[in-house]
Amino acid sequence: MPSALDRLLTEIRACQLCAADLAHGVRPVLQASATARLLIVSQAPGRKVHASGVPFDDLSGERLRDWLGIDKPTFYDARRVAIVPMGFCFPGSARGADLPPRRECAPAWHPRLLPLLKRVDLTLAIGRYAQVGLLGAQAGANLTDTVRDWRRHLARGVLPLPHPSPRNQIWTRRNPWFAEELLPVLRERVIRALHS
């Protein structure tokens, strides 16, 4: 008999909530398991991920896996890593950039889904939308302020990160503390979470 999580994932993958507003159609992309120890909350799938149906199946994913210090088989093992974006479908793009996640998605699904991930030891909040969604009033005034305050958030089990898009290389160059201070702790905490 399917578990409550399995039934919910089937429901999410059949979601049509935003169908009328998505020019590229609906294709919810996520992975989750009740045994996952690492939860990655990101923004929304991009065009390439929409086409493949595989989370972070793009250059952002390569960079993220490098930041985490894990390989593809580990990353895509839903028994260990849950990937739950703020918006499950590609929202489309305008002026060369992806649109924000649809506002309907996280309120409709996160309150039902996240409580079923009871074994999560570490949550990564990737990008501003995920940070505001997870941290609420505790998020800083902007992404840089929120990520710079990572120690305080990590004490609550949430580690804020910039989006790993190649477009954000300027941000990482302007904020060398990210690679020097945060990334080593990120890798250590990811390994600890996955092996606990």
Side-chain angles (χ1 to χ4, degrees):
M1 181 173 194
S3 69
L5 178 57
D6 291 334
R7 290 193 301 273
L8 181 57
L9 290 173
T10 298
E11 193 178 340
I12 291 170
R13 290 182 175 122
C15 179
Q16 296 290 310
L17 187 63
C18 303
D21 299 305
L22 296 172
H24 299 276
V26 296
R27 187 173 196 179
V29 178
L30 73 158
Q31 72 179 40
S33 166
T35 59
R37 304 295 297 195
L38 176 64
L39 170 60
I40 298 172
V41 179
S42 54
Q43 300 189 151
R47 188 182 306 271
K48 184 174 180 188
V49 170
H50 175 77
S52 72
V54 178
F56 283 101
D57 182 28
D58 54 16
L59 292 175
S60 296
E62 290 177 22
R63 194 166 188 219
L64 178 59
R65 287 186 290 276
D66 180 61
W67 286 356
L68 303 180
I70 60 176
D71 59 17
K72 280 179 97 167
T74 302
F75 187 81
Y76 289 117
D77 183 352
R79 296 167 303 172
R80 302 170 81 189
V81 179
I83 303 173
V84 179
M86 295 300 292
F88 296 139
C89 295
F90 173 51
S93 55
R95 295 184 295 280
D98 289 350
L99 294 171
R102 295 289 309 174
R103 292 182 184 187
E104 304 90 338
C105 195
W109 298 113
H110 282 202
R112 295 175 60 195
L113 177 59
L114 298 183
L116 298 176
L117 305 178
K118 298 178 189 304
R119 297 196 62 210
V120 168
D121 185 60
L122 176 65
T123 299
L124 306 180
I126 298 180
R128 183 71 178 156
Y129 295 104
Q131 291 160 13
V132 170
L134 289 177
L135 299 172
Q138 298 296 317
N142 54 49
L143 180 134
T144 301
D145 288 348
T146 304
V147 177
R148 191 184 311 275
D149 201 16
W150 63 270
R151 290 175 182 87
R152 180 170 65 91
H153 301 302
L154 182 57
R156 296 176 35 217
V158 178
L159 188 53
L161 301 173
H163 195 280
S165 167
R167 292 177 185 221
N168 284 342
Q169 290 183 26
I170 294 172
W171 186 93
T172 54
R173 281 197 297 271
R174 288 181 179 161
N175 296 280
W177 52 266
F178 175 74
E180 295 164 5
E181 300 171 22
L182 194 156
L183 285 186
V185 173
L186 169 64
R187 290 179 181 131
E188 186 272 328
R189 288 298 300 267
V190 165
I191 295 302
R192 188 193 310 174
L194 295 177
H195 293 90
S196 60

